[in-house]
């Protein structure tokens, strides 16, 4: 007589079996996900960065954590970096052998900061085939910073990272992922107005020594007294687009909007996006728009600039003087609209001339720099070597936050 086979009691309950299966599956997926994230982290980190926070903010100040979400996968890297120590040596070698760019500027003595030039005057400077011509490039009136700050700015001879907060419009965030030697090679400068400076002081954030104001990695420069413009946004584009005038001895620069936080070492960014690409400037494409007119309509629709008549006049002026929508004929330029929150520059004739010409357009119309960007780029001579990288690259190297929330 055969012995009857009996199912163990542990497996007689279907609910229990399903629960055990679910438990082990969940544990396996959690373990796999954890190991995958670790693998991605190590693969994208070519050096051992500074791990300790550069600055601890008091709870009264607070860093807003309302980061704008991104759909980019952490395990898909659109940009790969050369080893940190190789980059450090290569950039040091470039700095030793570089020379001061040759571009002559119009001197002070006008009523406005950039001369209040007419349309014909501004456009007459687009062709710089005559290298002896002086270019109007701001600073025709004083930019009020202290003597000590000015000396420090002129002493920055390598790479400078620049940002600005006017009107306490943003929180000041510390860069992340810096290499152990980066703070010895890269200067970090944050420009603020009197109001923002008072807010920082009220939270006891600034460390003061020898006429310097520091906040973590940043040297805070107070732009005090009578500012060049009534608009905080227009004052903000002075360090944004005239960084080569403020730091005449620097060879590379990175502009960082105060609403974003760098998460990759600046030296790696300069090497990957400027040096390896042999570019004068690197900037992200706009995530939605390709044509400048699209950006102009969005600016009016979302009231990013209140003077709609000025917007109409600006775009009509550009159209009358040869602005055309983007087509494949404009290649290698892949778009007419950038995201100017992050701008990397090699300080040379190409990027310096572009910055001067663009700033003159901003003074003439408004600080919405995306509107004039392609017009200046397409009409300037000599041409600029531009690296317009994909939005996924921007999301890999920076975190974007919403502007400071007011009560």
């Amino acid at each position: 007589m055969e012995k009857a086979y009996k199912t163990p009691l542990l497996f007689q309950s279907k609910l229990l079996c399903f629960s055990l299966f679910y438990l082990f599956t969940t544990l396996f997926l959690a373990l796999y996900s954890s190991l995958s994230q670790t693998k991605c982290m190590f693969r994208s980190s070519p050096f051992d960065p500074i791990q300790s926070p550069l600055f601890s903010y008091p709870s009264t100040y607070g860093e807003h954590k309302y980061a704008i979400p991104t759909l980019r996968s952490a395990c898909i890297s659109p940009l790969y970096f050369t080893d940190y120590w190789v980059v450090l040596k290569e950039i040091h070698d470039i700095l030793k052998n570089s020379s001061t760019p040759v571009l002559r500027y119009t001197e002070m003595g006008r009523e406005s900061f950039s001369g209040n030039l007419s349309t014909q005057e501004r456009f007459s400077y687009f062709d710089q085939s005559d290298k002896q011509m002086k270019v109007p490039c701001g600073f025709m009136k004083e930019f009020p910073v202290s003597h000590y700050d000015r000396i420090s700015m002129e002493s920055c001879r390598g790479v400078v990272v620049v940002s600005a907060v006017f009107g306490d419009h943003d929180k000041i965030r510390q860069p992340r992922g810096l290499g152990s030697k980066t703070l010895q090679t890269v200067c970090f400068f944050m420009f603020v107005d009197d109001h923002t400076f008072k807010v920082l002081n009220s939270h006891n954030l600034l460390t003061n020594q020898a006429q310097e104001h520091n906040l973590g990695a940043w040297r805070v420069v107070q732009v005090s007294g009578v500012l060049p413009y009534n608009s905080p946004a227009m004052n903000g584009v002075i360090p944004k687009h005239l960084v080569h005038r403020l730091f005449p001895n620097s060879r590379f620069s990175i502009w960082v909007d105060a609403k974003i936080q760098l998460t990759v070492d600046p030296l790696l960014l300069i090497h990957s996006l400027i040096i390896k690409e042999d570019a004068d400037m690197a900037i992200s494409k706009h995530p939605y728009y390709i044509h400048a007119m699209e950006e102009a309509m969005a600016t009016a629709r979302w009231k990013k600039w209140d003077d709609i008549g000025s917007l109409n006049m600006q775009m009509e002026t550009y159209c009358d003087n040869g602005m055309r929508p983007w087509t494949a004929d404009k290649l290698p330029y892949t778009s007419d609209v950038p995201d100017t929150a992050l701008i990397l520059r090699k300080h040379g004739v190409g990027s310096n001339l572009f910055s001067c010409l663009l700033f003159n357009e901003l003074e003439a119309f408004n600080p919405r720099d995306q509107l004039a960007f392609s017009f200046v780029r397409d009409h300037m001579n000599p041409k600029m070597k531009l690296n317009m990288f994909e939005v996924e690259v921007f999301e890999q190297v920076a975190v974007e936050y919403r502007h400071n929330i007011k009560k």
Side-chain angles (χ1 to χ4, degrees):
M1 182 178 180
E2 293 184 3
K3 187 176 181 180
Y5 176 77
K6 188 175 181 181
T7 304
L9 292 175
L10 181 65
F11 297 103
Q12 288 183 8
S13 170
K14 292 183 179 179
L15 180 60
L16 178 60
C17 289
F18 179 79
S19 299
L20 289 172
F21 175 78
Y22 179 79
L23 174 63
F24 286 117
T25 302
T26 304
L27 289 173
F28 172 78
L29 291 175
L31 179 62
Y32 176 80
S33 176
S34 176
L35 291 174
S36 297
Q37 290 177 5
T38 303
K39 181 180 178 182
C40 291
M41 181 180 66
F42 285 130
R43 183 176 59 197
S44 62
S45 178
F47 68 103
D48 185 21
I50 297 174
Q51 300 294 342
S52 58
L54 295 172
F55 189 84
S56 297
Y57 288 92
S59 58
T60 54
Y61 179 74
E63 282 187 285
H64 284 313
K65 298 301 182 183
Y66 306 114
I68 297 177
T70 172
L71 299 177
R72 188 185 72 82
S73 170
C75 286
I76 299 177
S77 177
L79 183 67
Y80 292 92
F81 304 107
T82 306
D83 179 77
Y84 173 76
W85 302 105
V86 173
V87 168
L88 185 67
K89 182 180 184 306
E90 186 172 337
I91 289 182
H92 280 177
D93 290 342
I94 292 173
L95 298 178
K96 288 179 183 177
N97 299 320
S98 63
S99 58
T100 305
V102 178
L103 196 63
R104 303 170 69 233
Y105 304 114
T106 304
E107 298 171 358
M108 295 180 64
R110 295 289 190 104
E111 294 181 357
S112 71
F113 186 76
S114 196
N116 193 23
L117 305 172
S118 68
T119 300
Q120 289 73 23
E121 286 178 309
R122 298 196 313 275
F123 292 176
S124 69
Y125 293 103
F126 276 45
D127 187 350
Q128 285 293 314
S129 54
D130 178 7
K131 296 183 180 180
Q132 298 303 313
M133 181 187 296
K134 290 185 177 181
V135 182
C137 195
F139 297 94
M140 296 183 190
K141 292 177 64 176
E142 183 183 4
F143 188 61
V145 299
S146 74
H147 174 69
Y148 298 97
D149 286 328
R150 196 175 300 278
I151 291 176
S152 181
M153 289 153 61
E154 292 177 354
S155 299
C156 182
R157 299 184 177 276
V159 179
V160 60
V161 178
V162 182
S163 189
V165 178
F166 288 86
D168 190 34
H169 197 52
D170 290 282
K171 298 293 184 183
I172 296 179
R173 298 179 174 86
Q174 300 299 323
R176 303 200 322 250
L178 301 184
S180 57
K181 300 294 183 182
T182 296
L183 291 176
Q184 301 173 24
T185 308
V186 181
C187 316
F188 289 82
F189 279 82
M190 175 70 66
F191 292 86
V192 302
D193 59 359
D194 287 336
H195 175 60
T196 307
F197 189 84
K198 289 178 182 178
V199 172
L200 296 175
N201 257 338
S202 70
H203 293 286
N204 297 316
L205 291 175
L206 300 176
T207 58
N208 305 322
Q209 53 183 3
Q211 302 297 327
E212 289 186 17
H213 305 288
N214 297 299
L215 201 165
W218 300 101
R219 172 163 178 158
V220 177
V221 177
Q222 183 180 9
V223 186
S224 185
V226 180
L227 302 184
Y229 300 101
N230 294 326
S231 165
M234 193 63 208
N235 288 317
V237 298
I238 295 174
K240 181 175 185 177
H241 290 294
L242 300 183
V243 59
H244 64 288
R245 300 294 314 272
L246 291 168
F247 300 88
N249 297 312
S250 62
R251 291 296 169 262
F252 298 96
S253 67
I254 301 178
W255 164 263
V256 181
D257 267 11
K259 67 178 181 178
I260 71 171
Q261 179 183 32
L262 278 186
T263 57
V264 174
D265 189 282
L267 298 176
L268 299 182
L269 292 179
I270 289 292
H271 187 266
S272 294
L273 296 171
I274 292 289
I275 296 175
K276 288 175 64 176
E277 298 293 332
D278 189 26
D280 295 313
M281 178 183 291
I283 195 168
S284 172
K285 296 179 185 178
H286 194 279
Y288 307 116
Y289 307 132
I290 296 177
H291 310 300
M293 196 62 72
E294 291 177 308
E295 175 63 25
M297 290 188 291
T299 300
R301 182 186 304 119
W302 302 111
K303 297 182 180 179
K304 297 179 181 180
W305 188 252
D306 292 335
D307 191 348
I308 305 302
S310 171
L311 290 175
N312 289 336
M313 181 183 298
Q314 180 179 16
M315 302 316 291
E316 288 175 2
T317 299
Y318 293 159
C319 288
D320 290 343
N321 287 274
M323 186 182 78
R324 297 294 179 266
W326 184 91
T327 66
D329 294 337
K330 291 192 177 185
L331 292 173
Y333 302 140
T334 53
S335 174
D336 280 349
V337 186
D339 184 339
T340 61
L342 180 69
I343 307 174
L344 298 92
R345 299 179 176 94
K346 176 176 66 178
H347 290 188
V349 173
S351 68
N352 291 359
L353 175 61
F354 174 82
S355 298
C356 295
L357 298 175
L358 179 62
F359 186 85
N360 293 338
E361 295 303 307
L362 303 185
E363 185 185 77
F365 292 108
N366 57 71
R368 301 298 303 175
D369 47 14
Q370 295 158 306
L371 301 180
F373 183 91
S374 64
F375 181 80
V376 175
R377 179 200 67 191
D378 295 344
H379 288 80
M380 65 179 284
N381 180 36
K383 295 295 184 184
M384 175 179 58
K385 295 179 181 178
L386 180 63
N387 173 19
M388 292 195 77
F389 51 84
E390 300 294 334
V391 177
E392 290 79 11
V393 172
F394 175 87
E395 293 176 340
Q396 179 188 359
V397 304
V399 177
E400 184 174 359
Y401 292 80
R402 292 174 175 85
H403 288 295
N404 191 8
I405 297 176
K406 304 295 182 182
K407 292 184 180 180

